[in-house]
Amino acid sequence: MKFIYFISLLFCSFLIKAQNIPLYVGTYTSDDVQGIYSYNFNTLTGEITNKKLAVKTENPSFITFSKDKKYLYAVNENGENSFVKSYEVNNDGTLAFINKVGTNGNGPCHVQTNEANNKLVVSNYGGGTVSIYTIHKSGSISESPQVFDHNLENKQAHAHSAKFYKNNLFVADLGRDFLAQYILNDKEFVLKENHLMKEGAGPRHFEITKNGAFIYVINELNSTVTVLQQKEKNTYKTIESISTLSDDYNGKNQCADIHLSADEKFLYGSNRGENTIVVFKRDAKSGTLQKIQNISVNGDWPRNFTLSPNGKFLLVANQRSENISVYNVDNKLGTLTFLYSLNAPTPVCLLF
């Protein structure tokens, strides 16, 4: 009996550890907020526990992993004195600094790696530039990037996010109202086309379907999602623009983040002002959207949000109210149900 009891305890302990995964939170730092924090996230219950400082660093406003999750990359949003830093992920969840390089533009607000794990791109909102770096096998970042400057003499660019898709690199430019598309030619990216949004739309973040057939761009300034469809190889055309706001909302709003569900049946976006998450049902064939829910974020100024790896939960980083709100996801309907809120130091980016 004692042996069976001991085995049961070991099994329960294994289950508890297995259902807890790390959650990293990027922040804007202050006297009370010191850098990147880590938590345990329970994938069965949605509970967030065990807060600790993973590494002390200034204004890590956006963070991302390498594909194998051995390394973490963070921008330091510090005006002209801005960097992107690389860290090794330790077994205890803390981060060990590897190196840092300048971002070639002020106000970096986004960083992303490619599937091959050898490229990294940084979007500089203030500088209007995009820097593409090589990642070494050690996880360190090269110091000689390829740099694109989107600024014009009469038009200030605001590069806000960038993503690799196969041999493409897409960049949302909020200042110049386009989604730039670059193609890898030999070892460098070259501009193919600027996909224009409506004037004053302010494209901020975007999602690409797994097959590359559709791109969904959330526009900060006019509170819409623009849908682009691939009409032929590497050529996209706008097919729809749809509001992110409730029909009865008339106040000011600025959209922030956007994510597809893993099965790509649903699309989610964050509204800062209305302070909601909007839920769209997606037609897989036509790519068009149907708005089905706007739900309160139970906080103020939802910045970044994320879906848990198992798709059961959605977590929202509320910057101004300094809390993370957790929701159950109905995988059949796509709709959200509020679970609880957790106080957190100025959360602006969530990473599983």
Side-chain angles (χ1 to χ4, degrees):
M1 290 295 291
K2 287 183 179 181
F3 176 74
I4 295 175
Y5 178 70
F6 177 71
I7 293 297
S8 297
L9 284 177
L10 284 178
F11 183 68
C12 290
S13 176
F14 171 77
L15 283 180
I16 291 171
K17 290 181 178 179
Q19 68 197 30
N20 279 308
I21 60 173
L23 168 67
Y24 287 90
V25 180
T27 66
Y28 281 124
T29 52
S30 63
D31 290 341
D32 299 323
V33 186
Q34 295 183 300
I36 301 171
Y37 291 85
S38 70
Y39 297 81
N40 287 340
F41 181 79
N42 189 304
T43 57
L44 294 182
T45 66
E47 185 181 14
I48 300 173
T49 57
N50 196 30
K51 170 192 165 187
K52 61 183 175 183
L53 182 65
V55 70
K56 188 174 182 179
T57 186
E58 190 175 2
N59 291 336
S61 61
F62 205 92
I63 56 179
T64 193
F65 278 126
S66 59
K67 185 181 178 182
D68 56 15
K69 296 190 177 183
K70 290 182 178 179
Y71 306 103
L72 183 145
Y73 301 94
V75 295
N76 291 109
E77 193 174 334
N78 295 325
E80 296 291 344
N81 190 32
S82 292
F83 298 95
V84 56
K85 294 181 179 179
S86 62
Y87 300 92
E88 185 173 7
V89 180
N90 295 324
N91 291 333
D92 64 357
T94 58
L95 302 174
F97 175 75
I98 299 174
N99 81 321
K100 69 177 182 179
V101 295
T103 61
N104 299 281
N106 65 62
C109 60
H110 189 266
V111 57
Q112 191 61 258
T113 58
N114 68 345
E115 283 293 308
N117 229 28
N118 64 349
K119 294 291 182 183
L120 179 145
V121 59
V122 173
S123 303
N124 294 295
Y125 178 86
T129 56
V130 181
S131 297
I132 307 167
Y133 304 82
T134 297
I135 301 174
H136 301 300
K137 289 184 179 180
S138 64
S140 64
I141 307 166
S142 69
E143 296 186 3
S144 302
Q146 182 183 7
V147 181
F148 295 111
D149 188 341
H150 284 181
N151 293 292
L152 299 176
E153 286 187 11
N154 62 344
K155 188 73 171 178
Q156 172 69 47
H158 291 300
H160 211 300
S161 63
K163 285 185 179 181
F164 297 98
Y165 179 78
K166 295 185 177 179
N167 287 329
N168 294 272
L169 173 67
F170 294 92
V171 181
D173 194 310
L174 187 147
R176 291 187 55 196
D177 294 317
F178 61 62
L179 184 73
Q181 181 182 359
Y182 295 92
I183 303 290
L184 186 63
N185 184 7
D186 194 11
K187 294 183 179 181
E188 290 197 333
F189 286 89
V190 295
L191 180 66
K192 180 183 185 295
E193 187 177 359
N194 289 331
H195 303 284
L196 299 178
M197 305 293 116
K198 290 182 179 179
E199 186 175 355
R204 182 181 172 101
H205 285 277
F206 57 96
E207 280 277 72
I208 307 171
T209 55
K210 294 171 186 174
N211 62 3
F214 298 95
I215 303 176
Y216 297 88
V217 184
I218 195 161
N219 298 300
E220 176 177 330
L221 303 182
N222 71 356
S223 300
T224 63
V225 172
T226 299
V227 184
L228 286 77
Q229 183 178 15
Q230 189 175 48
K231 294 298 185 180
E232 52 188 79
K233 187 177 181 181
N234 287 327
T235 300
Y236 289 84
K237 300 295 180 183
T238 298
I239 61 169
E240 183 181 31
S241 181
I242 184 170
S243 173
T244 64
L245 300 173
S246 304
D247 293 339
D248 58 355
Y249 182 76
N250 297 312
K252 293 181 179 180
N253 188 75
Q254 295 178 22
C255 289
D257 202 8
I258 188 169
H259 291 286
L260 281 164
S261 60
D263 59 11
E264 300 188 336
K265 292 181 179 180
F266 305 101
L267 182 73
Y268 302 88
S270 54
N271 286 309
R272 300 174 298 175
E274 186 182 57
N275 286 338
T276 62
I277 296 296
V278 59
V279 186
F280 297 100
K281 184 178 180 181
R282 176 178 173 270
D283 187 299
K285 186 175 181 180
S286 70
T288 56
L289 302 172
Q290 176 190 357
K291 186 166 36 181
I292 58 175
Q293 185 184 28
N294 282 74
I295 185 170
S296 170
V297 295
N298 290 275
D300 186 17
W301 217 245
R303 185 71 175 262
N304 174 245
F305 68 92
T306 189
L307 290 154
S308 61
N310 61 6
K312 290 184 177 181
F313 302 97
L314 184 144
L315 288 70
V316 183
N318 292 310
Q319 179 183 342
R320 292 179 178 174
S321 53
E322 298 194 339
N323 68 302
I324 298 172
S325 295
V326 183
Y327 297 80
N328 265 129
V329 179
D330 187 315
N331 294 127
K332 290 184 179 180
L333 301 177
T335 52
L336 306 176
T337 303
F338 177 66
L339 274 180
Y340 73 97
S341 180
L342 175 79
N343 291 335
T346 323
V348 292
C349 186
L350 307 175
L351 178 67
F352 281 112

